[in-house]
Amino acid sequence: MPSFTLPRAVRNTRITRTHKVAVAVLAAAGVTSGLSLTSAPDTAQAASEHSSVAVKPVQANGQPAKADNAKTGRPVTASVADHIKVTAVAKQHKAQQAASRSAARPAVKSYPNNLDGWIRQSLDIMKAKGIPGSYEGLHRNIMRESSGNPNAVNDWDINAINGIPSKGLLQVIQPTFDTYHVAGTANKLTDPVANITAAANYAAHRYGSIDNVNSAY
């Protein structure tokens, strides 16, 4: 058998029968280098050497996996469904506000731009201002005075001679119009509604109502 010398580390360790057999086998096989035998580590040393190591997740391509939003502290984006819901609620609220504003505003009444419309609009204004008169009374006097022409002008009577001709549906002179003009109507003598309401206001003060007028006034 060839000579075989144990390393110093082994000589300082108690050699068991098992070690001796293993050495003999190795020596017989001609393995004479790089051999180092140690006694079995104790339990505490093994536990220390095999302590747990944190394992980081990786992606399929071998790159480290990115942490999710909750772990990185980034805010979680609302889902598409939540966004749609919030948008729908906002639109509904806006529509309700618009409807409330529309309900709060009084409806603007419209009138046709003809004799019937002018008389009806004048009657509404007269009612709001406390000026008496009826559709029949206004229409009757208008047809006698101007035949329903808002631009009619009397250029032959005493007023015309004096330079203040009667004008409009109810043939009103400028001084009378200026005195009995009804606030809220146009400040123009030949405006149909302004002319009617001013004449009705004058007739109310002089005759009690335009309904009581049956001739030139």
Side-chain angles (χ1 to χ4, degrees), residues 122-182:
S122 297
L123 286 170
D124 286 342
I125 295 172
M126 290 162 58
K127 181 178 179 180
K129 301 294 184 177
I131 301 172
S134 67
Y135 187 100
E136 186 279 330
L138 291 174
H139 186 270
R140 173 168 40 84
N141 281 283
I142 288 172
M143 296 308 292
R144 185 190 67 251
E145 294 291 331
S146 66
S147 299
N149 178 10
N151 296 311
V153 178
N154 185 326
D155 56 3
W156 56 267
D157 68 0
I158 187 61
N159 291 320
I161 295 173
N162 292 332
I164 48 172
S166 302
K167 298 180 180 181
L169 291 173
L170 282 170
Q171 292 294 282
V172 181
I173 60 175
Q174 190 66 52
T176 301
F177 179 83
D178 293 341
T179 302
Y180 294 97
H181 173 255
V182 176

Side-chain angles (χ1 to χ4, degrees), residues 90-111:
K91 287 183 178 179
Q92 183 180 10
H93 180 65
K94 186 176 181 179
Q96 290 175 343
Q97 286 182 325
S100 297
R101 289 194 296 268
S102 297
R105 291 193 296 266
V108 178
K109 188 175 181 180
S110 61
Y111 305 89

Side-chain angles (χ1 to χ4, degrees), residues 3-15 19 22-24 26-27 31-39:
S3 62
F4 184 84
T5 303
L6 292 173
R8 179 177 299 179
V10 176
R11 292 201 303 270
N12 292 336
T13 305
R14 183 169 59 88
I15 304 301
H19 289 155
V23 170
L26 291 173
V31 181
T32 60
S33 64
L35 179 63
S36 176
L37 297 178
T38 60
S39 60

Side-chain angles (χ1 to χ4, degrees), residues 41-53:
D42 57 25
T43 304
Q45 183 179 1
S48 174
E49 292 175 354
H50 296 84
S51 58
S52 61
V53 178

